[in-house]
Amino acid sequence: MPEAGDFVIPSPPSGKIINRHRALKKTFKLGATAASIGVSAAQMGTGTGALALMTGAAVSATGVGLVVAGGVLTVGTCLASGRSAYKTKKHIDGLKSLQTSAQSMSCEVVHAEALHGIANTFHHEIILKGVLPYVIKKKTSKFHRKAATTVPGVALLEGLRAIGKKGYKYVKGSLGVNRENAATWLAHHLLTYECELAEAIVEELYGSEDEVIWLKQQDGEVVVQLLMDKMKST
């Protein structure tokens, strides 16, 4: 189980995540196009949005990409890392601000008769005290790594280190386990409740309210995978 400070995130609810928003918003359909759901053209163009990632259209948001020539990372990569570090720092600041404003945010179950209030309180606490700090921790790790890769010589070493660490986790069987746990909790809360905090976290990760609207119409398994992608520390 992933830890966030002194709060240990428990295992998420078992079974299929039920999207309770669909019953209230019949106008949304799974096959909706980006235009019909209001996903911005800028996000689709850069491939940074949830729909772009789901359809396999994701590309480098900087247009530079990772270029390897003769085993040496190019200056283009370092510039891309610098831009990524800057954007990641802004996400960290935004996520931290949610910790101070969370108490004023509302959280109500979509169908009041479906779940008891105690479940709502317990689940919301996991998002606030567990998932949010966990996401901040992952984003902070990403910031430090991206900042390090702005230096050409360090960039290559950091890349090799990241590959080695990923390989170790794969062999150990822990690769992505904590991230999936946190993403499952966030997806469950997003699709089960009208929670301003959960929506604000997802909006900070994806940068658009339109993306939140689109995600709230998808299957739980799809939302989990897309949120996992945004929780990566590399």
Side-chain angles (χ1 to χ4, degrees), residues 61-77:
T62 63
V64 178
L66 293 176
V67 182
V68 180
V72 180
L73 296 178
T74 68
V75 174
T77 301

Side-chain angles (χ1 to χ4, degrees), residues 106-191:
S106 64
C107 179
E108 299 292 338
V109 67
V110 175
H111 294 300
E113 71 281 2
L115 294 170
H116 297 293
I118 188 172
N120 181 39
T121 302
F122 173 65
H123 290 181
H124 187 79
E125 183 178 33
I126 292 172
I127 301 301
L128 174 59
K129 297 183 178 180
V131 175
L132 179 54
Y134 174 80
V135 175
I136 292 174
K137 179 180 178 180
K138 300 296 286 186
K139 288 295 181 183
T140 301
S141 295
K142 181 177 181 179
F143 169 73
H144 290 311
R145 289 168 183 169
K146 290 298 181 181
T149 55
T150 58
V151 182
V154 178
L156 180 58
L157 294 175
E158 173 59 24
L160 293 174
R161 186 207 63 78
I163 292 173
K165 183 177 181 179
K166 185 173 183 179
Y168 171 76
K169 285 187 174 182
Y170 177 80
V171 173
K172 188 179 178 182
S174 61
L175 183 63
V177 174
N178 290 344
R179 190 156 42 94
E180 182 176 10
N181 193 345
T184 301
W185 269 114
L186 184 54
H188 184 279
H189 204 69
L190 180 72
L191 301 182

Side-chain angles (χ1 to χ4, degrees), residues 37-61:
I37 59 178
V39 176
S40 68
Q43 285 181 303
M44 288 303 297
T46 59
T48 59
L51 182 58
L53 291 173
M54 182 180 179
T55 56
V59 296
S60 171

Side-chain angles (χ1 to χ4, degrees), residues 9-27:
I9 305 175
S11 298
S14 59
K16 182 180 178 64
I17 300 175
I18 300 175
N19 189 335
R20 302 185 184 278
H21 293 277
R22 283 181 176 166
L24 300 182
K25 301 176 182 178
K26 298 294 185 179
T27 56

